[in-house]
Amino acid sequence: MRDADRTLSASSSVERYSFTQKDELISLYDESFHLIDCSPRHSKTYIIDSLVDATLWHVYPGLLAPKPKAAVEFVLASGVPRSVEIADATTRDRLALLIFRTPRGIGVVEVEGGATYRKASSDSDRALLLHQATHDVLTGLPNRRQFSDQLRGTLPVPNGAKLALMQIDLDDFKPINDTLGHGAGDAVLKMAAERIRNVLGEREVAYRLAGDEFAVIQWKVDQPAEAERLADAVVKAFKEPFTVEGINVFVGASVGIAIAPGDGNETEQLMKAADIALYAAKKDGRGLARTFSRAMLIVLEQREMLRRSLRTALQEGQFFVEYQPLVRLPSSVVGFEALLRWRHPIVGLIPPSVFIPMAESDGLMSEIGQWVLEQACRTATTWPAHFTVAVNLSSAEFLREGLTDRVAQTLDAVGLRADRLELEVTESVLLERTTDNLDALNTLNVLGVQISLDDFGTYYSSLSYLKNFPFDTIKIDKYFIKDLETDEKSQTIVRFVIALAHGLGMRVTAEGVETRGQINWLQKEGCDQLQGYFLGVPMPAAAIDEFLRQSSLAL
């Protein structure tokens, strides 16, 4: 056997159990049932001088009988050990065999002695307990414990050897649990594990670490080419939908690759490199594979610097608000949307798409959101009395207790009528705690606050939201507006949303309007309000008076 193969066998928990029993008859086979290793006594007993052409069926022809063969196939498929009894090909005596799953195929322990079945049963129980301790119950893959043992037992790799670690994370898995239930989620995880298993070759082992997180350890010399080939195969394996109870659902896979020894030659260092590469794959659009590079580490360090700075940005006055006009057709400004901005003292302007997810994950968004709400409402009190101000609510703010009380207290404190405030929420905030969300929206509606559903069509777009939640306005995302003049599919979708909203007594606002042609088309189709750079760019509060003086001519 090659050294890498020996490492793989010796570090596997089940195989480690097997070869501690030096006087036992033990043999190991790959998934094609070719013999890949055996104990010295087994080799001597069955006169095996070479592993070439030796198979499970040559060693134990009795396993070809229907029931024993079915047991072998069951172990290979399920990973659950089985005890079988066959006739010895030479003596015709009965042999008791314990068959168990290994990372590369199956293993066989030949049980000797008078009370064969009792001993086989005892060994089977022992192997089953070991299997349960080292394998994931749901998918049958080796679990985090075995993954950790494998990686620790392999690293550091010897000179000239290379090992690839792949961290795999499923994309868009959470909505399946949220919408279809955990039973459907479990079914998808089992199918996902099978898809990963099906693309593996020799010296490649998959593990389920937790939830929708998987990993693969690969022993190949031609790196990173071999790891990138396997990672691409994993990504492609998830392009087809999963069918759960007759429903097709799409779950992708993002993969981060790290290579030992170059990216790290000890466990924590290599896992950190693979995690950083996985993060890069998700930031680049998900459904991708990325190989670790030092540049990724620099980017991550910069993000961590921003994360630390974000904690003091509000106290140090680094946030400010800009306002983008909302125009009611044909040409009337009716309000502004408040847009949060962050000017870092060293880096400069930081895009909201970068810092808002950070603030949400770090629990800072509630405080920042409250500051934006107060600033926007105070500014709106200086506008004409019929103007509205729209403020975005992040999911972190919406799911925090006491939202309606905070909104009511803010309106009272600054003296703004409730009907002049429009709160914008996205569909993502409605996926959890549906009853509480409905109560909060209804309470805000009773207060007189307007509610807008932002970015409609870009998330899950369940029509049940429009039936059950009291929205005043639906905002069509700019994705459907940008090619509106030329793309018939976008035109059909926008017509449908306008008709649907009006049928439900809701207004429609189109975002991202950038041309006169888009305005003409939307006006013809009956869209109520527009927003976009053609009509007005985001501006500081001090510039609004001048914009309003010139807007009648500009529009």
Side-chain angles (χ1 to χ4, degrees):
M1 288 178 64
R2 289 169 289 189
D3 289 342
D5 286 341
R6 290 187 184 279
T7 301
L8 177 57
S9 295
S11 59
S12 165
S13 298
V14 174
E15 294 175 18
R16 199 163 53 233
Y17 149 72
S18 302
F19 283 101
T20 57
Q21 310 299 324
K22 299 297 184 181
D23 60 339
E24 288 190 359
L25 293 160
I26 304 172
S27 50
L28 304 176
Y29 306 82
D30 63 20
E31 293 193 357
S32 298
F33 305 113
H34 286 90
L35 182 67
I36 56 176
D37 207 353
C38 61
S39 64
R41 185 181 174 195
H42 188 282
S43 178
K44 182 177 180 181
T45 301
Y46 289 94
I47 317 176
I48 298 173
D49 296 324
S50 171
L51 300 182
V52 178
D53 295 330
T55 69
L56 176 67
W57 319 118
H58 287 110
V59 178
Y60 297 111
L63 287 175
L64 286 169
K67 287 186 177 180
K69 188 176 182 182
V72 171
E73 293 171 346
F74 173 82
V75 172
L76 191 62
S78 69
V80 179
R82 282 288 183 268
S83 293
V84 299
E85 193 173 78
I86 62 172
D88 188 292
T90 304
T91 66
R92 310 309 299 172
D93 293 337
R94 304 299 291 174
L95 291 179
L97 305 178
L98 170 63
I99 305 170
F100 56 91
R101 189 75 161 89
T102 73
R104 300 181 59 196
I106 63 169
V108 178
V109 178
E110 189 172 323
V111 183
E112 301 176 285
T116 56
Y117 255 123
R118 282 198 301 274
K119 190 167 192 308
S121 177
S122 173
D123 280 356
S124 179
D125 290 343
R126 180 167 48 151
L128 179 58
L129 288 173
L130 182 59
H131 179 276
Q132 292 173 339
T134 58
H135 286 72
D136 174 53
V137 175
L138 180 65
T139 64
L141 292 177
N143 60 15
R144 180 180 287 275
R145 173 183 172 182
Q146 192 165 349
F147 167 78
S148 299
D149 289 347
Q150 182 77 75
L151 206 55
R152 278 196 298 266
T154 305
L155 296 176
V157 296
N159 291 335
K162 288 188 178 180
L163 175 148
L165 170 62
M166 279 162 264
Q167 298 275 38
I168 304 169
D169 201 47
L170 303 190
D171 303 321
D172 299 317
F173 174 74
K174 186 175 183 297
I176 294 175
N177 273 340
D178 293 336
T179 58
L180 300 180
H182 289 281
D186 287 348
V188 169
L189 288 173
K190 291 171 69 174
M191 290 185 282
E194 190 62 27
R195 290 191 186 185
I196 295 171
R197 188 186 284 119
N198 286 342
V199 300
L200 299 180
E202 288 190 13
R203 302 162 75 191
E204 297 169 347
V205 182
Y207 307 81
R208 184 189 178 200
L209 303 185
D212 60 347
E213 300 173 20
F214 296 83
V216 170
I217 297 177
Q218 180 193 58
W219 288 261
K220 300 281 186 179
V221 175
D222 186 15
Q223 297 294 2
E226 284 291 342
E228 290 170 349
R229 173 200 58 77
L230 177 58
D232 287 341
V234 170
V235 170
K236 289 177 182 176
F238 283 79
K239 295 298 184 184
E240 294 297 318
F242 293 85
T243 303
V244 182
E245 298 178 357
I247 300 173
N248 285 343
V249 295
F250 288 87
V251 174
S254 296
V255 185
I257 304 168
I259 309 296
D263 298 334
N265 211 9
E266 60 91 21
T267 302
E268 295 302 322
Q269 189 180 18
L270 192 65
M271 288 183 66
K272 179 182 178 182
D275 279 335
I276 291 172
L278 175 61
Y279 177 81
K282 286 188 169 291
K283 292 301 293 182
D284 287 348
R286 303 192 299 179
L288 301 169
R290 291 289 180 263
T291 302
F292 174 77
S293 68
R294 297 298 168 187
M296 292 178 183
L297 183 58
I298 294 172
V299 170
L300 185 65
E301 289 173 346
Q302 290 175 338
R303 290 185 64 86
E304 288 306 308
M305 180 272 290
L306 289 179
R307 190 183 296 275
R308 291 191 296 271
S309 300
L310 187 59
R311 293 187 174 276
T312 59
L314 185 60
Q315 289 73 26
E316 295 179 1
Q318 297 172 12
F319 289 122
F320 62 99
V321 179
E322 290 188 327
Y323 299 87
Q324 187 172 25
L326 292 162
V327 175
R328 180 178 299 154
L329 288 168
S331 60
S332 174
V333 177
V334 293
F336 294 83
E337 179 180 358
L339 301 169
L340 176 63
R341 301 290 189 250
W342 178 23
R343 183 179 287 109
H344 190 278
I346 298 174
V347 181
L349 284 175
I350 309 298
S353 59
V354 172
F355 73 82
I356 287 180
M358 289 183 185
E360 289 178 334
S361 63
D362 288 357
L364 304 174
M365 202 59 222
S366 292
E367 184 180 1
I368 295 172
Q370 180 62 32
W371 178 84
V372 174
L373 179 65
E374 291 179 8
Q375 291 291 312
C377 289
R378 289 188 188 280
T379 301
T381 61
T382 66
W383 301 339
H386 64 284
F387 274 21
T388 62
V389 61
V391 179
N392 292 278
L393 277 181
S394 78
S395 57
E397 295 174 84
F398 198 88
L399 297 176
R400 182 186 169 200
E401 297 291 341
L403 169 66
T404 55
D405 291 338
R406 293 195 301 276
V407 171
Q409 290 166 6
T410 301
L411 291 172
D412 288 342
V414 303
L416 186 72
R417 293 199 323 268
D419 63 343
R420 295 185 61 193
L421 173 63
E422 182 176 8
L423 296 178
E424 297 188 5
V425 299
T426 63
E427 293 167 278
S428 60
V429 308
L430 305 177
L431 291 176
E432 300 180 47
R433 293 171 47 188
T434 303
T435 302
D436 290 345
N437 292 344
L438 181 59
D439 290 343
L441 289 175
N442 280 323
T443 302
L444 291 169
N445 194 38
V446 170
L447 288 174
V449 175
Q450 299 181 60
I451 307 295
S452 174
L453 180 58
D454 198 10
D455 299 336
F456 184 76
T458 58
Y459 289 90
Y460 310 103
S461 300
S462 172
L463 297 182
S464 64
Y465 299 152
L466 303 184
K467 178 181 178 181
N468 296 321
F469 291 84
F471 296 111
D472 297 286
T473 303
I474 293 176
K475 299 189 75 172
I476 304 176
D477 188 74
K478 61 185 178 182
Y479 173 80
F480 302 104
I481 304 300
K482 64 181 180 180
D483 56 0
L484 190 60
E485 296 174 77
T486 57
D487 188 82
E488 292 184 0
K489 291 182 179 179
S490 291
Q491 293 173 358
T492 300
I493 291 171
V494 173
R495 281 195 191 100
F496 164 76
V497 176
I498 292 173
L500 176 66
H502 288 170
L504 295 172
M506 303 175 186
R507 294 186 301 272
V508 179
T509 299
E511 298 181 290
V513 175
E514 297 183 352
T515 69
R516 170 60 68 180
Q518 292 170 349
I519 293 176
N520 293 338
W521 193 96
L522 290 163
Q523 184 173 5
K524 178 182 176 183
E525 295 299 326
C527 186
D528 302 295
Q529 295 182 162
L530 308 179
Q531 183 179 6
Y533 278 27
F534 188 86
L535 302 164
V537 300
M539 64 192 76
I544 291 177
D545 286 345
E546 181 62 22
F547 170 80
L548 291 175
R549 280 195 293 270
Q550 297 182 4
S551 62
S552 59
L553 294 176
L555 296 175

